[in-house]
C-alpha cells in the first residue's frame, strides 16, 4: 500500500482494550462531522457521523463524542481488535455539505 | 451497486504529460469531490461538484481541471503534469443531505517523473 501517514501520531493499544482517538476541528461553524478508517492501500471508509445538534452518537463498537465548546471530537472503539488497525481521520463539514475538510489522521496499532 | 470506481489504479507520467483520472459512481449521488493524499498531510480537496454542470475549486485546485457532464462521472484532468502532483488521488461522492456521509473510491496512485 501507499506510504500514507509517515509522520502521523500513533496510538498503540492492546487487543481487547478500548481505544480513544481525538480530533480538534478548526471551524466553529462546522455542523456535521464524520470519522473515517483507512487501511493501507484503500480509500477512506465511513465509520460514523454526528451532527452538531448532538453530543454523542453510538454505533456498533464505536462511539463519537462532540464537544462544540472546545471544538473537539473523539472516536471511542470498544474491545479493539487487530482488524481495527488503520489510520483514522476526522472530517468536518459546514453548511451545504458540498465538501469535507479532513484532519491529518491518527494511526491505530493493535498489539496482541 | 459498484459504489465509487476509479481508473487507473496506478499511473506513471513524465513531466509535462497530460492525463485524465476517471471517477464514476452508480448511487445517484449529487455531490462528488476529488482529493489528493500526501504522506502526513491527510486529504486535501482539489475540486468538487454539487451536481451535473456545476463545479467549484477546493483547497488545492492549481494544475487540475474538472467537468461534470453527467451525474455519474467526474473526471480529473492534469493538463501538464509536474512532480509536485505525485500523490494518491481519491474520488468521493455523497447525497446532498448528508444522510450517509461521503463514500470514497479505492484511489489512483500517480507518480510524475
Amino acid at each position: 500500500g501507499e506510504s500514507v501517514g509517515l509522520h502521523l501520531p500513533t496510538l498503540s493499544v492492546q487487543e481487547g482494550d478500548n481505544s480513544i482517538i481525538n480530533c480538534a476541528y478548526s471551524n466553529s461553524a462546522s455542523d456535521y462531522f464524520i470519522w473515517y478508517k483507512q487501511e493501507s492501500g484503500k480509500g477512506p471508509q465511513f465509520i460514523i457521523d454526528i451532527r452538531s445538534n448532538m453530543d454523542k452518537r453510538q454505533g456498533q463498537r464505536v462511539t463519537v463524542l462532540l464537544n462544540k465548546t472546545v471544538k473537539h471530537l473523539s472516536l471511542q472503539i470498544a474491545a479493539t481488535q487487530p482488524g481495527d488497525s488503520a489510520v483514522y481521520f476526522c472530517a468536518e463539514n459546514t453548511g451545504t455539505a458540498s465538501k469535507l475538510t479532513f484532519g491529518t489522521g491518527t494511526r491505530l496499532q493493535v498489539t496482541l | 451497486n459498484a459504489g465509487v470506481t476509479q481508473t487507473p489504479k496506478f499511473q506513471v507520467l513524465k513531466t509535462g504529460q497530460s492525463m485524465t483520472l476517471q471517477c464514476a459512481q452508480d448511487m445517484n449521488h449529487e455531490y462528488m469531490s476529488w482529493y489528493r493524499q500526501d504522506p502526513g498531510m491527510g486529504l486535501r480537496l482539489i475540486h468538487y461538484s454539487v451536481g451535473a454542470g456545476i463545479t467549484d475549486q477546493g483547497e488545492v485546485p492549481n494544475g487540475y481541471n474538472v467537468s461534470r457532464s453527467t451525474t455519474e462521472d467526474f473526471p480529473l484532468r492534469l493538463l501538464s503534469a509536474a512532480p509536485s502532483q505525485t500523490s494518491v488521488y481519491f474520488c468521493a461522492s455523497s447525497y446532498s443531505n448528508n444522510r450517509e456521509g461521503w463514500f470514497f473510491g479505492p484511489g489512483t496512485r500517480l507518480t510524475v517523473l
Side-chain angles (χ1 to χ4, degrees), chain B residues 12-104:
Chain B
V12 178
L13 293 176
K14 294 181 180 178
T15 296
Q17 287 185 315
S18 62
M19 80 159 296
T20 299
L21 280 64
Q22 300 293 343
C23 174
Q25 52 88 14
D26 61 358
M27 298 173 282
N28 202 30
H29 285 173
E30 293 181 35
Y31 290 178
M32 296 186 76
S33 296
W34 275 102
Y35 291 84
R36 61 177 288 172
Q37 187 173 36
D38 303 305
M41 298 192 73
L43 286 87
R44 292 184 293 169
L45 181 65
I46 305 171
H47 285 286
Y48 65 100
S49 170
V50 299
I54 307 169
T55 64
D56 207 344
Q57 296 181 347
E59 180 185 356
V60 288
N62 292 340
Y64 308 95
N65 281 348
V66 292
S67 60
R68 185 94 180 272
S69 57
T70 66
T71 300
E72 295 78 18
D73 301 298
F74 191 42
L76 179 72
R77 282 183 287 276
L78 284 71
L79 298 178
S80 179
S84 61
Q85 293 178 304
T86 294
S87 189
V88 181
Y89 290 85
F90 290 102
C91 179
S93 72
S94 173
Y95 288 108
S96 61
N97 61 0
N98 275 334
R99 286 207 304 260
E100 297 174 6
W102 287 76
F103 294 86
F104 282 78

Side-chain angles (χ1 to χ4, degrees), chain A residues 36-78:
Chain A
Y36 285 94
K37 172 186 180 183
Q38 187 176 29
E39 297 172 288
S40 182
K42 297 183 179 180
Q45 178 187 359
F46 175 91
I47 301 174
I48 191 169
D49 59 359
I50 188 168
R51 298 189 183 279
S52 60
N53 61 353
M54 304 171 69
D55 52 20
K56 179 179 180 179
R57 191 168 186 219
Q58 290 185 290
Q60 189 175 14
R61 276 201 313 119
V62 294
T63 300
V64 54
L65 299 178
L66 174 63
N67 185 331
K68 295 181 287 293
T69 302
V70 295
K71 293 190 288 187
H72 184 268
L73 201 63
S74 69
L75 177 70
Q76 300 178 359
I77 304 174

Side-chain angles (χ1 to χ4, degrees), chain A residues 8-104:
Chain A
L8 291 176
T10 299
L11 174 66
S12 291
V13 298
Q14 208 160 15
E15 182 180 6
D17 288 350
N18 296 335
S19 303
I20 300 177
I21 301 171
N22 296 304
C23 175
Y25 63 93
S26 56
N27 190 344
S28 57
S30 293
D31 57 5
Y32 179 61
F33 305 88
I34 309 175
W35 278 101
Y36 285 94
K37 172 186 180 183
Q38 187 176 29
E39 297 172 288
S40 182
K42 297 183 179 180
Q45 178 187 359
F46 175 91
I47 301 174
I48 191 169
D49 59 359
I50 188 168
R51 298 189 183 279
S52 60
N53 61 353
M54 304 171 69
D55 52 20
K56 179 179 180 179
R57 191 168 186 219
Q58 290 185 290
Q60 189 175 14
R61 276 201 313 119
V62 294
T63 300
V64 54
L65 299 178
L66 174 63
N67 185 331
K68 295 181 287 293
T69 302
V70 295
K71 293 190 288 187
H72 184 268
L73 201 63
S74 69
L75 177 70
Q76 300 178 359
I77 304 174
T80 311
Q81 302 169 359
D84 295 327
S85 294
V87 176
Y88 290 80
F89 293 94
C90 67
E92 61 183 294
N93 174 270
T94 307
T96 61
S98 57
K99 52 185 178 179
L100 294 175
T101 301
F102 281 80
T104 54

